[in-house]
Amino acid sequence: MKKRIVVALGGNALGNTAQEQRELVRQTAVPIVDLIVEGHEVVIAHGNGPQVGMINLAFDCGDVPPMPFPECGAMSQGYIGYHLQNAIREELLVRGLNKPVVTIITQVVVDKEDPAFQNPTKPIGSFYSQEQAEKIAEQTGFTMREDAGRGYRRVVASPRPTAVVEDRTVKALIREGQVVITVGGGGIPVIREGDHLEGVAAVIDKDFASEVLAAMIDADYLIILTAVEKIALNYGKPNETWLDKVTVAEMEQYMEEGHFAPGSMLPKVEASVAFAKSGPGRTALVTSLENARDGIAGKTGTHISM
Ligand code: ADP
Ligand code: MG
């Protein structure tokens, strides 16, 4: 039966340089197109950690005017989308499907009262000495923080996404049968000020943005593709246990017991639980790129539902 599926791509689907990315996305496109060939409606979301970091660093050199962080995010959506849409388009044509693939520069609304703004945690950009960092903080108002003994860096907040601005565009293109790439890097974070949307220097977790997207378009599945085939209890320990089918209640219990690393697996589990709770018949699946197809067929991956 035809399903509506959000596929959220992790760092391992894109690689670390533009060249690597252009090669790697050709592989990434294969399981995505497998799902489309089977008749499913697929919407693609992705991360942008290394990419936005590179863009931000490149503008840090002092030879060009400063580039604000939301603009760096928009640039990363552009070039990642460019690679993905071409790779998916070509793979579709190889399978005899002539379907338009499009990337939407996507803004995601965050709440200016989000407590995350009081405690910025995500380091971005270059390393500085304490003295340089203090000067930058004074001149720009940036929050600078010591990063694991390597020097001082700017830190930005990681607020929760509340809504996708380009909501109607995404839905219209899906209805039209187009393959949409959206909320790249978790979306460009914006705060609503009446009719105005103000971009803010922040990082939205792509797992949370993908969940908001999936709930918004009434998806049946949220598939989070990452480096592992399944989610584990006691990950990396001798008593490691891989999870197959799990209920929301069980997952909440495991979260409380501290099984999932914050910043990597925990946001995926939280997003999965939120999606499964967001409406009837909704399932989240966490698996690896290579296992996406078997995952949807119920043969592998970790499935989370009510
Ligand atoms: P992505 O770029 O896909 O978001 P992350 O590195 O942020 O990838 O998160 C995936 C990683 O989380 C896995 O590769 C694994 O090393 C780690 N991880 C932490 N806790 C767990 C767990 N309980 N089960 C499986 N993987 C875990
Ligand atoms: Mg991650």
Side-chain angles (χ1 to χ4, degrees):
M1 211 180 74
K2 177 172 120 182
K3 302 274 186 210
R4 183 171 286 185
I5 302 170
V6 169
V7 177
L9 301 171
N12 67 325
L14 301 173
N16 288 307
T17 68
Q19 187 55 42
E20 200 178 297
Q21 180 175 284
R22 205 166 52 203
E23 295 294 320
L24 204 56
V25 291
R26 293 165 58 190
Q27 258 108 68
T28 302
V30 174
I32 292 172
V33 171
D34 285 342
L35 295 175
I36 299 169
V37 167
E38 281 170 31
H40 302 303
E41 278 174 350
V42 178
V43 177
I44 295 124
H46 61 81
N48 74 343
Q51 295 81 2
V52 76
M54 275 190 291
I55 293 168
N56 186 247
L57 263 183
F59 280 100
D60 251 4
C61 64
D63 298 339
V64 290
M67 186 59 66
F69 197 65
E71 278 76 351
C72 294
M75 289 182 186
S76 76
Q77 287 186 347
Y79 94 89
I80 296 170
Y82 159 58
H83 283 171
L84 278 173
Q85 75 189 38
N86 276 338
I88 295 167
R89 175 185 167 275
E90 277 190 37
E91 184 65 26
L92 283 166
L93 288 173
V94 167
R95 318 273 192 105
L97 278 180
N98 188 351
K99 235 178 183 343
V101 188
V102 65
T103 301
I104 301 173
I105 299 297
T106 311
Q107 306 174 86
V108 170
V109 181
V110 298
D111 182 353
K112 77 171 187 303
E113 305 300 336
D114 192 307
F117 285 112
Q118 302 307 315
N119 179 32
T121 52
K122 294 267 180 193
I124 59 169
S126 314
F127 290 91
Y128 300 97
S129 68
Q130 185 174 356
E131 199 179 72
Q132 287 170 314
E134 281 167 5
K135 202 165 157 198
I136 291 169
E138 201 182 306
Q139 284 169 349
T140 59
F142 293 172
T143 308
M144 306 295 287
R145 199 166 287 169
E146 216 276 321
D147 186 0
R150 297 178 296 176
Y152 284 75
R153 282 176 99 182
R154 182 180 182 194
V155 284
V156 298
S158 188
R160 288 299 183 111
T162 64
V164 177
V165 175
E166 289 74 17
D167 174 355
R168 282 174 58 189
T169 309
V170 172
K171 288 177 182 164
L173 291 170
I174 298 171
R175 270 198 305 276
E176 231 274 304
Q178 307 206 23
V179 180
V180 177
I181 300 160
T182 182
V183 302
I188 304 161
V190 296
I191 287 172
R192 277 192 204 282
E193 293 170 350
D195 288 339
H196 175 69
L197 298 171
E198 182 66 23
V200 289
V203 174
I204 303 174
D205 199 299
K206 72 105 181 25
D207 299 317
F208 295 140
S210 304
E211 187 275 318
V212 169
L213 167 73
M216 173 187 97
I217 64 169
D218 275 322
D220 303 293
Y221 270 96
L222 167 61
I223 309 186
I224 301 179
L225 297 182
T226 187
V228 287
E229 185 177 341
K230 293 177 187 181
I231 303 174
L233 299 179
N234 304 304
Y235 180 67
K237 296 183 189 152
N239 57 342
E240 182 176 75
T241 316
W242 299 101
L243 297 170
D244 298 313
K245 288 198 164 50
V246 202
T247 65
V248 162
E250 287 166 335
M251 225 40 179
E252 284 175 334
Q253 175 70 33
Y254 300 145
M255 270 197 272
E256 225 168 89
E257 292 166 4
H259 284 284
F260 314 119
S264 61
M265 192 46 80
L266 185 60
K268 296 182 206 317
V269 173
E270 287 182 323
S272 297
V273 165
F275 179 65
K277 278 179 159 178
S278 69
R282 295 181 179 177
T283 302
L285 163 62
V286 177
T287 191
S288 60
L289 205 55
E290 311 78 64
N291 289 291
R293 200 179 179 179
D294 284 348
I296 273 283
K299 292 184 212 155
T300 188
T302 303
H303 298 249
I304 300 134
S305 55
M306 286 303 286

